[in-house]
Amino acid sequence: MASLVSRIKEFINGNCHDFNQLAMEIFADQYNLCQPYQKYCNNLGKNPATLSTWEEIPAISTEVFRVVDLSIFPISQAQHIFYTSGTSQTNPGKHYYEDLSLYDAAIYNSFLHGIGLSDDVSCLNLRILTPSFADHPHSSLCYMLSKIVAWYGSQDSKFYYKNQNLDCVSLVRDLRQDCLHNRPVVIIGTAFALANFIDYLVRNDELLCLPSNSRLLETGGLKGRTRDISRVELYKSFSKYLGLNERLCFSEYGMTELSSQCYSLANSHCFIAPPWMPVRIIDVEHGTEVALGETGLVQFFDTANYTAISAILTADLARREEFGFTLLGRAPQAVLRGCSLYYES
Amino acid sequence: MSLKLTTTEICAILKSIAGDWLDAKYCLRKQAIELAAPEFCLSQPSFALALDWIFQQWIMPGKLCEVTAISPFPFAKFAVQILAGNTPAMMAQGLLQAILLGITQYIKLPARQTIFATLLQKSIYKLIPELAQLLTIDTWHNQLTQLYHGIAQADVVLAYGSDDTISRIRNYIPKKAKYYLHGHRTSAAIIFQDACNLTTLHDLTYDFLSYDQRGCLSPRVTFIQHGGEIPPQDCAHLFATSILPRQAVLFPRGGLFPGEAYAIRKQRDIYGCQGSLYCGDDWTVAYLDDFHWYLDTAVPRFMIFIPFTTEENLLNILESIKLRLLTLGIAGQGINISDKLNIKVCKLGKMQQQLLLW
């Protein structure tokens, strides 16, 4: 197992390995060591002896994480547990980790490129619109951003959450200083938090003009707002109220059930998956990959997810593009149908 | 306004309309099969069978004609109906209720399901235009002001919908009105050990495949007792691999509504990690050892088998889900569940023949 983890890390770091071979070994371990997954694969008549390509490896819906513990090690040995979030979650999903080295490797090898920077950047002025990992120890997003601050953040980098609320006052104050001293910033937050911040600027008649080369990373999650705003409107507001170049605004796509992330092209909802997490867009009714330009659900094989399950089917709709996929929203929810007789008078 | 029809007159109307709809050459029937079947995501053969079941009930002796003699709404002048769209039977029932009431009515159809109700109204109009003219049939759309205004004037409100819709509607019903409100419920099958045989599984197939399991009378879960001629898991396996494939030829599955493919896939994945799965192209059968893994979701053509040991074991399970249950289809000799839990019961194989009138 240790040898396979090393080879996965090497692959993530860019060293050549046969991806298919790696994927089949990962599948074999997950099949042999995760009993619910083994049961699932057996129900489909698939096991390591019968498959030869990574595309055939059975993918599991993210929903299963809410109901079943998916792990190749005893969960009592977990050092970290990330919980899924969401407005309608009564039973959050759990992702167990013995250690986060693969997770770190995935972040390390994708973040800088994801926001259009080169590897030699070392000191970023980070303004983070989420709680810190210390305050939210079960959030994978907060963990990721805390690592990014630790690796690349300047001394002035900060998280802007106080008492579970976005601290817009401090953020505006610090951004004004950044403007004054011509210090480019990287603002990172969920779409929800960013929209709230824009609302604050509008209400208080504030307009900022951030230094050139400042950039923004939005990490998804527009649902649940009290006011509807489209993604296009939101990105236009980054330009209008923050003075950001739209070509330096990016999106990140990840989830608790995965260990790796995808980043968008600038000012776009077209995402590129990293080489260690190939993506397929699936016609869920027939279980086949859709043609280019067609729509289906996003499915990954995340090698960094080695200690859980790598083949994951998400609930996100996307259009298959030549080099990635364009996110279109969540899969429609089936409407409950049925009836009863309940007499009242 | 109302039409004061006698019971004899009402029965004659129902028989005449039903007789037309049971005639394979009837033009409105042919239009319905071709154009309305996709509204319910049913195949044309399944929709045609559905029409036969629906209208045979209208003319069956001892059924509707006797019900019509007792109207609980003798003084009503205006009614509002909000119809369900999960099966054509529910929609036909709405129009049947319209005939039985014989008063001015505002009938709200489910979104994008207008053809069948419109054709039914046409067939009423051909026979008794005065009655058809009492009915205002409207589609469901986001603008609900007219609906709520109508409810506030109604003497009678009959509504089917999600629990959320029902809660909202209840707020508008005037104190003086009578109302029947139908939220989301499901049905289940019970097979006692003396009935664990192939005949019972055939009966179960009939109730399961009818309407693609979209009806509220369709069994979603089968509780099957240990100790019978065929063990429970073998029953599930036989049902899925031997009986269903043969019977499904008579009931080809229709399409899927948006979101259903993913809902089926999620459910397959969850049960696939916990139990045994037997999947065909158009159906899924899951066998779960443990009732606690059961999820109350309604996707089409998805049957769950759960074993039980004693009747006490069964009662405990049913007690925990009885608020969600409408009807139990029963095979074999066992405890009198209807008395114990106050749930409607019927014979397995006849579940779709239950009437849901007042």
Side-chain angles (χ1 to χ4, degrees):
Chain A
M1 202 193 281
S3 150
L4 181 52
V5 169
S6 293
R7 281 186 287 128
I8 295 170
K9 274 188 209 164
E10 282 173 13
F11 189 80
I12 293 173
N13 288 334
N15 295 328
C16 271
H17 278 286
D18 178 342
F19 175 77
N20 195 65
Q21 170 67 27
L22 201 63
M24 298 313 293
E25 287 183 53
I26 290 170
F27 170 55
D29 277 1
Q30 290 171 348
Y31 174 90
N32 288 319
L33 299 172
C34 179
Q35 288 307 306
Y37 187 55
Q38 187 182 97
K39 199 179 215 20
Y40 174 73
C41 292
N42 287 342
N43 272 316
L44 301 178
K46 298 191 180 188
N47 61 65
T50 63
L51 304 185
S52 53
T53 64
W54 69 271
E55 291 96 337
E56 300 172 278
I57 296 171
I60 229 164
S61 316
T62 49
E63 273 296 301
V64 180
F65 281 79
R66 292 205 295 119
V67 178
V68 177
D69 292 325
L70 294 169
S71 168
I72 66 171
F73 61 90
I75 60 172
S76 55
Q77 290 173 13
Q79 297 298 308
H80 308 272
I81 308 174
F82 292 144
Y83 294 158
T84 61
S85 59
T87 53
S88 61
Q89 300 259 351
T90 47
N91 293 321
K94 297 191 188 84
H95 192 158
Y96 300 91
Y97 289 88
E98 261 185 319
D99 76 76
L100 288 164
S101 59
L102 285 177
Y103 200 97
D104 291 349
I107 302 170
Y108 189 79
N109 283 280
S110 56
F111 171 68
L112 288 177
H113 282 270
I115 59 169
L117 290 171
S118 58
D119 284 342
D120 56 4
V121 164
S122 59
C123 201
L124 296 173
N125 219 12
L126 294 163
R127 307 274 175 242
I128 315 275
L129 278 65
T130 72
S132 69
F133 184 56
D135 293 332
H136 266 242
H138 294 296
S139 162
S140 56
L141 176 64
C142 295
Y143 176 78
M144 178 182 102
L145 296 176
S146 293
K147 291 305 280 192
I148 286 169
V149 168
W151 292 333
Y152 308 113
S154 67
Q155 278 187 325
D156 293 326
S157 296
K158 216 157 48 173
F159 289 85
Y160 290 88
Y161 252 74
K162 196 157 68 175
N163 300 327
Q164 301 192 357
N165 286 312
L166 186 58
D167 183 1
C168 295
V169 170
S170 301
L171 180 55
V172 168
R173 181 197 62 218
D174 290 350
L175 287 175
R176 286 207 173 287
Q177 287 297 308
D178 293 324
C179 293
L180 194 64
H181 294 103
N182 201 28
R183 285 191 302 245
V185 296
V186 179
I187 300 177
I188 306 179
T190 63
F192 185 81
L194 289 165
N196 274 344
F197 180 54
I198 297 294
D199 285 347
Y200 174 86
L201 294 176
V202 171
R203 276 198 312 273
N204 291 277
D205 233 350
E206 296 261 13
L207 268 183
L208 296 167
C209 189
L210 295 177
S212 65
N213 220 28
S214 293
R215 46 200 76 207
L216 181 144
L217 178 66
E218 163 258 308
T219 64
L222 258 180
K223 295 274 182 246
R225 281 178 54 75
T226 52
R227 182 169 73 80
D228 279 334
I229 180 171
S230 73
R231 204 185 153 278
V232 169
E233 282 174 13
L234 182 65
Y235 273 60
K236 281 197 163 78
S237 69
F238 296 154
S239 176
K240 184 174 177 186
Y241 294 99
L242 298 172
L244 280 168
N245 180 350
E246 283 183 36
R247 296 208 57 78
L248 294 180
C249 296
F250 302 89
S251 263
E252 177 260 353
Y253 172 70
M255 59 193 68
T256 305
E257 295 88 345
L258 294 172
S259 299
S260 303
Q261 305 80 37
C262 301
Y263 289 84
S264 70
L265 302 173
N267 192 21
S268 159
H269 229 205
C270 179
F271 289 85
I272 313 289
W276 61 87
M277 185 174 73
V279 63
R280 302 170 75 216
I281 308 302
I282 300 296
D283 171 348
V284 72
E285 188 177 345
H286 301 105
T288 52
E289 189 169 16
V290 304
L292 269 183
E294 297 292 315
T295 301
L297 293 187
V298 184
Q299 181 173 299
F300 294 106
F301 190 91
D302 186 1
T303 53
N305 238 24
Y306 168 63
T307 57
I309 302 298
S310 290
I312 299 284
L313 176 70
T314 76
D316 294 316
L317 264 182
R319 186 175 57 242
R320 183 180 168 191
E321 312 288 2
E322 197 170 344
F323 298 113
F325 57 97
T326 298
L327 269 187
L328 300 172
R330 299 288 281 186
Q333 295 301 305
V335 175
L336 283 183
R337 292 163 189 270
C339 62
S340 78
L341 186 64
Y342 174 54
Y343 172 68
E344 290 183 67
S345 73
Chain B
M1 193 185 141
S2 68
L3 286 182
K4 294 287 182 203
L5 297 170
T6 64
T7 303
T8 310
E9 284 167 328
I10 291 176
C11 283
I13 290 169
L14 294 180
K15 277 195 177 133
S16 180
I17 293 174
D20 285 340
W21 279 88
L22 288 169
D23 179 354
K25 295 199 199 69
Y26 184 48
C27 63
L28 294 182
R29 174 188 168 105
K30 290 198 280 191
Q31 280 178 39
I33 291 169
E34 186 190 339
L35 301 172
E39 289 188 327
F40 298 91
C41 276
L42 290 176
S43 64
Q44 288 191 4
S46 292
F47 192 83
L49 271 171
L51 291 178
D52 292 339
W53 294 330
I54 291 164
F55 293 105
Q56 276 162 7
Q57 281 196 320
W58 284 30
I59 59 175
M60 203 178 293
K63 285 273 187 185
L64 287 167
C65 285
E66 281 158 26
V67 169
T68 65
I70 308 162
S71 170
F73 315 117
F75 303 108
K77 291 198 169 21
F78 175 61
V80 169
Q81 288 201 65
I82 298 165
L83 300 188
N86 49 331
T87 70
M90 293 309 301
M91 196 156 298
Q93 179 171 306
L95 276 289
L96 168 68
Q97 284 168 175
I99 296 170
L100 297 177
L101 285 168
I103 58 176
T104 305
Q105 289 165 71
Y106 177 72
I107 300 176
K108 195 82 164 161
L109 300 178
R112 293 178 294 278
Q113 285 180 306
T114 57
I115 296 174
F116 185 44
T118 307
L119 292 173
L120 278 174
Q121 188 189 21
K122 262 193 186 172
S123 65
I124 297 172
Y125 183 83
K126 280 184 175 185
L127 195 64
I128 178 160
E130 303 85 352
L131 177 57
Q133 282 161 358
L134 291 176
L135 312 179
T136 301
I137 296 185
D138 196 5
T139 55
W140 186 274
H141 42 74
N142 285 335
Q143 181 52 266
L144 296 175
T145 315
Q146 194 176 357
L147 171 65
Y148 292 142
H149 179 71
I151 291 174
Q153 316 293 320
D155 304 304
V156 178
V157 176
L158 305 169
Y160 301 80
S162 68
D163 292 346
D164 181 52
T165 302
I166 295 302
S167 294
R168 280 190 282 140
I169 286 167
R170 189 182 280 116
N171 291 332
Y172 291 89
I173 298 175
K175 285 197 172 77
K176 64 177 175 65
K178 294 265 190 209
Y179 53 98
Y180 284 91
L181 304 177
H182 307 241
H184 282 301
R185 298 294 182 270
T186 57
S187 294
I190 297 175
I191 301 176
F192 289 104
Q193 65 184 48
D194 62 308
C196 290
N197 52 52
L198 290 178
T199 305
T200 300
L201 293 178
H202 275 285
D203 291 339
L204 177 66
T205 311
Y206 185 81
D207 286 331
F208 170 68
L209 289 174
S210 304
Y211 300 115
D212 281 357
Q213 206 193 15
R214 294 184 180 286
C216 42
L217 295 168
S218 304
R220 308 222 147 262
V221 55
T222 298
F223 298 105
I224 181 161
Q225 193 172 20
H226 280 292
E229 177 190 326
I230 308 174
Q233 185 159 6
D234 291 351
C235 279
H237 186 254
L238 273 170
F239 178 76
T241 58
S242 178
I243 299 171
L244 264 184
R246 283 201 296 268
Q247 295 286 79
V249 172
L250 301 172
F251 300 86
R253 200 199 74 186
L256 294 174
F257 286 105
E260 282 186 332
Y262 180 56
I264 292 168
R265 173 59 192 268
K266 275 192 301 190
Q267 198 154 297
R268 277 187 177 182
D269 286 3
I270 289 172
Y271 287 138
C273 289
Q274 296 166 321
S276 299
L277 269 188
Y278 311 107
C279 300
D281 285 339
D282 296 333
W283 65 81
T284 312
V285 175
Y287 177 82
L288 303 178
D289 278 325
D290 189 338
F291 168 70
H292 290 103
W293 294 331
Y294 173 61
L295 304 165
D296 184 20
T297 53
V299 294
R301 298 226 170 173
F302 202 118
M303 175 59 83
I304 299 137
F305 280 76
I306 297 178
F308 67 94
T309 47
T310 62
E311 287 172 353
E312 188 189 349
N313 176 214
L314 175 66
L315 281 176
N316 286 338
I317 291 172
L318 294 177
E319 185 68 53
S320 68
I321 57 171
K322 78 172 182 183
L323 293 179
R324 304 295 298 169
L325 283 178
L326 174 62
T327 298
L328 296 171
I330 300 192
Q333 301 296 319
I335 196 167
N336 190 330
I337 294 169
S338 180
D339 280 352
K340 291 274 181 191
L341 294 176
N342 196 25
I343 299 175
K344 206 192 301 203
V345 302
C346 66
K347 202 168 167 331
L348 190 62
K350 309 266 186 231
M351 293 180 78
Q352 302 294 347
Q353 293 171 23
Q354 307 309 301
L355 276 178
L356 294 176
L357 288 179
W358 52 75

